[in-house]
Amino acid sequence: MPDHSPAADCTLVSAVIPTRGRPEMLALAVRSALRQTWRFLEVIVVLDGPDAATEAYLASVADPRVRGVMLPEPAGGCAARNTGVRAARGEWIAFLDDDDEWMPDKIACQMRVVRESRAWFPVVTSRLVARSPRSSRVLPPRVYDGSRPVADYLFCREGLTDSGGLMQTSTLLASRELLLAVPFRHGLRMHQDWDWIIRVTACEGVEVRMLAKPLTVWRVEDHRATVSRSADWRFSLEWIRGMRRLISGRAFSSFVAVQCVWRARTAHAGPWGRLSILRAFLFEGRPQLRSSAHFFLFSVVPEQLRRRLRDALRSRRDPAEITDGLTLAFSRRPAQFPLRKTSN
């Protein structure tokens, strides 16, 4: 059992950063990890296949806390994270995507929760700052309090402006022991964070705690191609079917109503595809009034109009969507490689 006692202040935490082909963004992620107020930290950068530019960047980093691990060929984010966990020396693992950043006190805040927890395997997450070219918002709007299953929190939206729950990978901290027992599922192209958190919470002794304070900067909607924005609705439908025994019918129908419907619409799915989604929504889950409203909304209303309506309703309810009292200067600096070795 991991040591949760207050005396364990010298516990080593391993930051695991999977990456491929974007050393400029990686440099900002690494810098944010090295600026943590938690003193006992190592940073493991896992290169998802040969990557000369990233290798050159890592060779330039002078901080001995940073080390690289390279996979012989690209294997995906799940395999890269699992490799980082196996290579880690720390008792606790914190994940950081290479295009995200941490607030300086992220690890310290989460380790305080670990020390206070009575669970065998606490998993600590937090809210985050979602930054896009248009705005910065604190997400999720609802903090997970443990009163209902994680899948219900993630997928069941409370209203038309609600974006659902969120436990993004760069916010997660868990013990290495737990991650070795329940690794990320190899080969999963999408829904990696959802898949892991739902499977791990089905294990005895696991408790998920979410901090209300935003501790991660998550870059979204900047027109970069990402797997999470893929229009592969068939993959999403088969994935949620595979998770059905671990989640409620309400969560299943809510996922289908949003995730499968918008992907099918983006992919211009034909009538048979739309019919298969509708049948899954109605007969494989437990649709309710709110999920039915979301099914209609994502099926009929154009995405741009839906986003404008959502933003207008949100601004009326909470005009101050900009982060409150957060210092983001470190994440707004130009992308430059930190800690370069100087030539003799």
Side-chain angles (χ1 to χ4, degrees):
M1 180 178 177
D3 185 1
H4 301 170
S5 67
D9 287 343
C10 60
T11 302
L12 180 65
V13 176
S14 299
V16 173
I17 309 178
T19 189
R20 179 169 175 79
R22 40 190 186 189
E24 293 84 2
M25 302 190 81
L26 171 65
L28 296 175
V30 170
R31 177 185 297 167
S32 75
L34 295 177
R35 288 181 173 174
Q36 291 299 296
T37 58
W38 187 263
R39 293 176 53 198
F40 303 97
L41 185 82
E42 67 169 358
V43 179
I44 302 173
V45 179
V46 184
L47 284 70
D48 188 18
D51 184 346
T54 303
E55 288 183 65
Y57 159 65
L58 289 175
S60 73
V61 177
D63 197 308
R65 293 175 294 172
V66 180
R67 56 191 174 101
V69 178
M70 188 174 73
L71 298 179
E73 58 184 23
C78 290
R81 292 188 189 98
N82 292 338
T83 299
V85 170
R86 291 192 296 268
R89 302 188 184 105
E91 183 180 347
W92 295 88
I93 307 291
F95 295 105
L96 178 59
D97 290 346
D98 63 0
D99 55 347
D100 298 333
E101 296 176 63
W102 286 338
M103 301 298 183
D105 59 344
K106 191 260 189 188
I107 299 299
C109 289
Q110 291 185 311
M111 289 302 291
R112 279 197 293 271
V113 174
V114 165
R115 294 198 297 268
E116 295 165 0
S117 176
R118 295 180 178 272
W120 278 85
F121 297 108
V123 176
V124 188
T125 180
S126 73
R127 298 171 87 192
L128 51 76
V129 179
R131 289 190 56 206
S132 76
R134 296 180 301 158
S135 65
S136 293
R137 298 181 54 239
V138 174
L139 294 176
R142 294 177 285 111
V143 175
Y144 180 69
D145 61 5
S147 62
R148 57 177 174 163
V150 162
D152 282 43
Y153 164 77
L154 291 172
F155 303 144
C156 299
R157 302 190 176 196
E158 300 299 322
L160 295 181
T161 63
D162 185 13
S163 57
L166 183 65
M167 294 181 183
Q168 195 260 356
T169 312
S170 295
T171 68
L172 296 175
L173 180 141
S175 71
R176 183 173 182 268
E177 181 180 358
L178 179 62
L179 284 157
L180 289 173
V182 188
F184 282 81
R185 199 189 310 191
H186 183 76
L188 196 65
R189 294 189 293 108
M190 291 194 297
H191 313 318
Q192 298 171 1
D193 44 6
W194 289 338
D195 182 270
W196 184 79
I197 200 72
I198 291 171
R199 287 189 298 112
V200 83
T201 51
C203 300
E204 186 176 357
V206 174
E207 176 192 54
V208 177
R209 298 275 300 274
M210 176 178 281
L211 289 162
K213 182 178 180 179
L215 297 173
T216 296
V217 178
W218 181 37
R219 292 191 180 88
V220 294
E221 296 181 359
D222 60 355
H223 306 293
R224 286 181 290 114
T226 62
V227 174
S228 63
R229 297 295 298 173
S230 167
D232 190 351
W233 62 269
R234 292 182 181 85
F235 181 94
S236 292
L237 183 57
E238 290 308 309
W239 174 77
I240 199 65
R241 280 172 168 161
M243 304 297 287
R244 181 65 182 87
R245 65 182 180 84
L246 298 177
I247 66 176
S248 68
R250 180 171 177 254
F252 180 93
S253 288
S254 295
F255 178 92
V256 172
V258 176
Q259 297 297 328
C260 295
V261 170
W262 79 256
R263 294 176 198 276
R265 180 165 183 166
T266 302
H268 305 289
W272 287 111
R274 295 195 296 270
L275 179 60
S276 67
I277 292 173
L278 179 60
R279 290 178 63 182
F281 173 76
L282 293 174
F283 302 117
E284 297 180 40
R286 185 161 58 89
Q288 297 185 323
L289 180 60
R290 284 173 178 166
S291 58
S292 299
H294 281 107
F295 193 103
F296 175 81
L297 180 67
F298 280 81
S299 297
V300 175
V301 180
E303 181 178 3
Q304 293 302 320
L305 176 58
R306 176 169 53 81
R307 288 181 180 274
R308 286 198 296 270
L309 289 172
R310 179 197 65 189
D311 292 345
L313 290 171
R314 282 175 176 167
S315 63
R316 287 184 181 180
R317 183 183 62 189
D318 182 12
E321 287 191 341
I322 304 299
T323 58
D324 181 19
L326 296 173
T327 303
L328 299 180
F330 76 93
S331 61
R332 293 195 180 109
R333 293 183 178 180
Q336 57 185 356
F337 292 166
L339 303 171
R340 287 190 179 278
K341 293 177 181 176
T342 56
S343 57
N344 293 326

